Amino acid sequence: MYFGSVKFFKHLIIGTICLMIIIPTTFTISLITQNDALKQKMGSAQTKYQQLEGNYQKVSKELAGMYQSEASFEYQKKYPDLYVAQAPKTASSPKTAYLTIDDGPSDKTGQYLEILAKYNAKATFFVTGQTSHEDLQYMKMIVEQGHTLAVHTYSHNYKQIYSSVDAYLEDFYNIYTLIYETTGVKPTIFRFPGGSINNYNRDIYQQIIAEMTRRGFIYYDWNVSSGDASTSASSASIVSNVLNTYSQYENPIILLHDGKTTTLGALEQIVSGIAAGGYKMDKMDNSVKQVSFGYKN
Ligand code: ZN
């Protein structure tokens, strides 16, 4: 008889002990497994949360950027009198050269004017604002003698004027006002110091051009450089640089500088040479076809 036998009780005790071990173990294992699953769920929830947080930060950054770029157009509201009506583009005049003289007025401007007058040549003076009282008289003479007085820059300080659109506008407004108050002329055209694209304005020239164009002003680069800004230039090199190249263009825009002995020494030969080539030398206004390094139109 098994039931009630010693063997039965032995088995019963062993069985009970086994169950006492198996049941808690199983329970523990299932708890551990559940815990792991929960941990995994928590992990993925955390990842999702981080993703959401990332998205939120991205969106708020974009919103801030939009707000900021809106704010950065504040300069459009500045200088409400700094606008000019654009002229309709006229057909380019045949064989017409445009002498452009930058960085004046100077103590030599009077002599430049004498040479131009001798050949009845007109020119365009892109002037600066760092002037003495005599220089202001030259601004008046430039206008009285039928040349164009145009904006170059007030300070000619590249780092300053190209530091922001606001800084450029402030400088432009200063020279524009000086020209107007001195001569009664409101300039309509301008030239960028260093040309429209240079090493100082690469990041900002498009914004400045957009703003000045919106205000109606037209800038002109050049297609003939006399090379007179170079320290190694001589009157002879300036003459040959201009006379060897200008006739490639129907409307050469020739870059020269005021205040230079070398340029002054070259000017008469340049003017007489161009006249001998059958070209008229006229002043520029905003109906002249633009010559631009950056944009073609
Ligand atoms: Zn200059």
Side-chain angles (χ1 to χ4, degrees):
M1 188 64 181
Y2 176 66
F3 290 107
S5 68
V6 175
K7 211 175 181 181
F8 167 73
F9 282 110
K10 224 170 156 181
H11 285 171
L12 189 66
I13 290 164
I14 291 168
T16 310
I17 290 170
C18 283
L19 280 176
M20 279 171 74
I21 292 168
I22 290 166
I23 290 170
T25 308
T26 317
F27 189 65
T28 308
I29 288 170
S30 101
L31 271 180
I32 288 170
T33 318
Q34 274 183 25
N35 191 28
D36 278 353
L38 273 173
K39 265 189 192 163
Q40 259 179 14
K41 272 188 188 162
M42 260 179 72
S44 77
Q46 214 165 15
T47 315
K48 270 190 188 151
Y49 171 74
Q50 278 166 354
Q51 276 174 353
L52 280 173
E53 207 183 22
N55 282 347
Y56 169 73
Q57 276 170 359
K58 220 170 105 184
V59 168
S60 37
K61 249 189 209 166
E62 273 169 20
L63 279 172
M66 277 163 69
Y67 175 74
Q68 214 172 37
S69 60
E70 220 169 79
S72 71
F73 285 127
E74 282 294 309
Y75 56 70
Q76 294 188 345
K77 295 178 191 146
K78 288 185 172 176
Y79 316 113
D81 51 339
L82 192 61
Y83 283 85
V84 67
Q86 283 193 352
K89 292 284 162 289
T90 47
S92 53
S93 319
K95 281 196 162 187
T96 302
Y98 299 106
L99 299 169
T100 64
I101 299 164
D102 288 10
D103 296 357
S106 75
D107 57 357
K108 297 185 177 60
T109 306
Q111 291 165 273
Y112 280 66
L113 288 171
E114 277 172 28
I115 295 168
L116 294 170
K118 188 173 163 188
Y119 292 87
N120 196 27
K122 299 296 179 223
T124 301
F125 290 79
F126 291 101
V127 296
T128 70
Q130 285 164 328
T131 51
S132 64
H133 180 70
E134 294 78 52
D135 289 344
L136 292 181
Q137 294 306 310
Y138 287 132
M139 279 195 191
K140 285 183 191 164
M141 281 171 71
I142 287 167
V143 173
E144 281 161 11
Q145 296 185 19
H147 305 286
T148 293
L149 191 55
V151 166
H152 190 32
T153 173
Y154 191 89
S155 69
H156 214 278
N157 182 330
Y158 285 45
K159 278 193 180 158
Q160 189 186 315
I161 63 174
Y162 296 136
S163 62
S164 66
V165 181
D166 287 273
Y168 184 83
L169 270 177
E170 188 185 345
D171 179 278
F172 193 102
Y173 190 69
N174 287 340
I175 182 65
Y176 179 86
T177 308
L178 181 67
I179 290 172
Y180 178 60
E181 285 176 355
T182 308
T183 66
V185 168
K186 287 187 173 177
T188 61
I189 64 173
F190 69 105
R191 170 169 286 154
F192 286 102
S196 60
I197 304 178
N198 57 65
N199 286 331
Y200 293 87
N201 72 1
R202 279 185 194 281
D203 296 334
I204 205 170
Y205 76 91
Q206 283 167 315
Q207 268 174 280
I208 298 177
I209 288 171
E211 176 59 9
M212 297 320 293
T213 305
R214 191 185 68 81
R215 289 174 184 264
F217 294 94
I218 301 185
Y219 69 95
Y220 291 88
D221 287 320
W222 54 89
N223 48 26
V224 175
S225 174
S226 67
D228 67 346
S230 161
T231 47
S232 60
S234 64
S235 292
S237 75
I238 293 168
V239 170
S240 64
N241 282 340
V242 174
L243 294 187
N244 290 340
T245 50
Y246 81 96
S247 60
Q248 294 168 16
Y249 305 94
E250 190 74 9
N251 297 120
I253 295 182
I254 301 162
L255 174 67
L256 298 160
H257 288 87
D258 204 335
K260 287 187 172 287
T261 315
T262 46
T263 310
L264 186 59
L267 192 60
E268 182 151 6
Q269 272 179 274
I270 289 173
V271 173
S272 61
I274 292 174
Y279 277 67
K280 183 187 170 194
M281 279 155 280
D282 206 355
K283 63 176 180 174
M284 299 177 76
D285 60 33
N286 58 358
S287 70
V288 171
K289 193 174 186 309
Q290 191 182 36
V291 166
S292 158
F293 300 152
Y295 298 103
K296 301 271 173 273
N297 63 1

